[in-house]
Short mmCIF file of all heavy atoms in Angstrom, two decimals:
data_model
loop_
_atom_site.label_atom_id
_atom_site.label_comp_id
_atom_site.label_asym_id
_atom_site.label_seq_id
_atom_site.Cartn_x
_atom_site.Cartn_y
_atom_site.Cartn_z
N ASN A 278 110.19 64.72 96.62
CA ASN A 278 111.55 65.15 97.00
C ASN A 278 111.90 64.70 98.41
O ASN A 278 113.03 64.28 98.67
CB ASN A 278 111.67 66.67 96.92
CG ASN A 278 111.98 67.15 95.51
OD1 ASN A 278 112.24 66.34 94.63
ND2 ASN A 278 111.96 68.44 95.31
N LYS A 281 112.80 61.17 97.99
CA LYS A 281 113.96 60.99 97.11
C LYS A 281 115.25 61.43 97.79
O LYS A 281 116.29 60.79 97.64
CB LYS A 281 113.74 61.81 95.83
CG LYS A 281 114.80 61.61 94.78
CD LYS A 281 114.36 62.10 93.42
CE LYS A 281 114.47 63.59 93.28
NZ LYS A 281 114.32 64.06 91.90
N PHE A 282 115.19 62.52 98.55
CA PHE A 282 116.42 63.03 99.17
C PHE A 282 116.57 62.55 100.61
O PHE A 282 117.36 63.11 101.37
CB PHE A 282 116.45 64.56 99.10
CG PHE A 282 116.57 65.08 97.68
CD1 PHE A 282 115.51 65.72 97.05
CD2 PHE A 282 117.74 64.89 96.95
CE1 PHE A 282 115.62 66.18 95.75
CE2 PHE A 282 117.85 65.34 95.64
CZ PHE A 282 116.79 65.98 95.04
N ASP A 306 111.38 66.12 106.22
CA ASP A 306 112.09 64.84 106.04
C ASP A 306 113.37 64.85 106.85
O ASP A 306 113.76 65.87 107.42
CB ASP A 306 112.38 64.60 104.54
CG ASP A 306 113.38 65.58 103.96
OD1 ASP A 306 114.52 65.62 104.45
OD2 ASP A 306 113.01 66.30 103.01
N ILE A 311 119.81 70.59 102.58
CA ILE A 311 120.31 71.48 101.51
C ILE A 311 121.46 72.31 102.09
O ILE A 311 121.26 72.99 103.10
CB ILE A 311 119.19 72.41 100.99
CG1 ILE A 311 118.01 71.56 100.48
CG2 ILE A 311 119.70 73.35 99.90
CD1 ILE A 311 116.76 72.36 100.15
N ARG A 325 120.44 72.52 91.11
CA ARG A 325 120.46 71.37 92.01
C ARG A 325 121.59 71.59 93.02
O ARG A 325 122.66 72.07 92.65
CB ARG A 325 120.71 70.07 91.23
CG ARG A 325 119.71 69.87 90.09
CD ARG A 325 119.75 68.44 89.60
NE ARG A 325 119.08 67.53 90.49
CZ ARG A 325 119.44 66.26 90.69
NH1 ARG A 325 120.50 65.79 90.08
NH2 ARG A 325 118.78 65.49 91.53
N ALA A 326 121.33 71.25 94.28
CA ALA A 326 122.35 71.49 95.31
C ALA A 326 123.55 70.57 95.07
O ALA A 326 123.45 69.53 94.42
CB ALA A 326 121.75 71.26 96.69
N VAL A 329 123.65 66.44 95.87
CA VAL A 329 122.67 65.47 95.35
C VAL A 329 123.33 64.16 94.89
O VAL A 329 122.65 63.14 94.74
CB VAL A 329 121.80 66.04 94.19
CG1 VAL A 329 120.88 67.13 94.69
CG2 VAL A 329 122.64 66.52 93.03
N GLY A 334 117.44 63.66 88.76
CA GLY A 334 116.57 64.85 88.80
C GLY A 334 117.04 65.89 87.81
O GLY A 334 118.12 65.78 87.24
N THR A 335 116.18 66.91 87.62
CA THR A 335 116.48 67.94 86.64
C THR A 335 116.62 69.33 87.26
O THR A 335 117.06 70.26 86.59
CB THR A 335 115.34 68.02 85.60
OG1 THR A 335 114.13 68.26 86.33
CG2 THR A 335 115.21 66.77 84.79
N GLY A 336 116.20 69.48 88.53
CA GLY A 336 116.26 70.80 89.15
C GLY A 336 115.14 71.73 88.66
O GLY A 336 115.23 72.94 88.81
N VAL A 337 114.10 71.12 88.11
CA VAL A 337 113.02 71.93 87.53
C VAL A 337 111.82 72.01 88.48
O VAL A 337 111.19 73.06 88.62
CB VAL A 337 112.60 71.32 86.17
CG1 VAL A 337 111.25 71.82 85.75
CG2 VAL A 337 113.64 71.67 85.11
N GLY A 338 111.56 70.89 89.18
CA GLY A 338 110.34 70.78 89.99
C GLY A 338 110.13 71.90 90.99
O GLY A 338 109.05 72.49 91.06
N LEU A 339 111.17 72.20 91.75
CA LEU A 339 111.02 73.18 92.82
C LEU A 339 110.73 74.59 92.28
O LEU A 339 110.00 75.36 92.90
CB LEU A 339 112.31 73.19 93.66
CG LEU A 339 112.16 73.54 95.13
CD1 LEU A 339 111.06 72.74 95.78
CD2 LEU A 339 113.48 73.36 95.85
P1 ADP B 403 115.18 67.59 91.28
O1 ADP B 403 114.77 67.28 89.92
O2 ADP B 403 116.67 67.58 91.50
O3 ADP B 403 114.44 66.85 92.32
P2 ADP B 403 113.84 70.00 92.23
O4 ADP B 403 113.63 71.20 91.40
O5 ADP B 403 112.62 69.29 92.69
O6 ADP B 403 114.82 69.12 91.39
O7 ADP B 403 114.68 70.45 93.47
C1 ADP B 403 115.81 71.27 93.28
C2 ADP B 403 116.92 70.89 94.24
O8 ADP B 403 116.54 71.24 95.57
C3 ADP B 403 117.24 69.44 94.30
O9 ADP B 403 118.08 69.02 93.26
C4 ADP B 403 117.91 69.33 95.66
O10 ADP B 403 119.23 69.77 95.59
C5 ADP B 403 117.12 70.34 96.48
N1 ADP B 403 116.02 69.72 97.26
C6 ADP B 403 114.70 69.83 97.01
N2 ADP B 403 113.99 69.18 97.95
C7 ADP B 403 114.88 68.65 98.80
C8 ADP B 403 114.77 67.89 100.00
N3 ADP B 403 113.58 67.52 100.51
N4 ADP B 403 115.92 67.53 100.63
C9 ADP B 403 117.12 67.91 100.16
N5 ADP B 403 117.29 68.64 99.04
C10 ADP B 403 116.19 69.02 98.36
#
Side-chain angles (χ1 to χ4, degrees):
N278 276 352
K281 185 164 79 168
F282 294 109
D306 67 60
I311 302 170
R325 306 195 76 213
V329 293
T335 56
V337 162
L339 210 50

